[in-house]
Amino acid sequence: MEIKYCWRCRMDVPMLDKKEGEIASNLLAEGFQEAKKMMKNPISENFRKLLDYYKDVTGFEETNPNAIMHHFIDLYGPDCENCGKPYRTKAATYCPKCGNKRKL
């Protein structure tokens, strides 16, 4: 786990590493299976294991299971040399935050 800037959330959030992300992905799939079985439960209850896991690992209480799925370190590029925010992707050459052009 590492705190990084999330472009979608527009704030620093705890990002999951590869192993933590795999566990979270499995819990998301399990939540969808629960949702199919029990259509009457509120959607957040179907994903309670995922939400609890994220809170246990990060200390951050997320309420949206979909948000967790884009809080994986591997989805983002390296940190910008100028402002320190991560590039949106590994292949990105332009930082939208400060305008820095990355040299590959």
Side-chain angles (χ1 to χ4, degrees), residues 6 9-11 15 28 37 40-41 49-51 61 63-64 66 92 96 98 104:
C6 175
C9 298
R10 296 183 183 182
M11 63 185 208
M15 298 273 182
L28 180 72
K37 291 179 195 173
K40 294 182 181 180
N41 280 352
K49 288 180 186 176
L50 171 61
L51 297 170
E61 189 162 354
T63 58
N64 182 349
N66 291 325
C98 70
L104 296 176

Side-chain angles (χ1 to χ4, degrees), residues 55-68:
K55 184 177 179 187
D56 289 345
V57 170
T58 66
F60 187 85
E61 189 162 354
E62 181 59 67
T63 58
N64 182 349
N66 291 325
I68 295 170

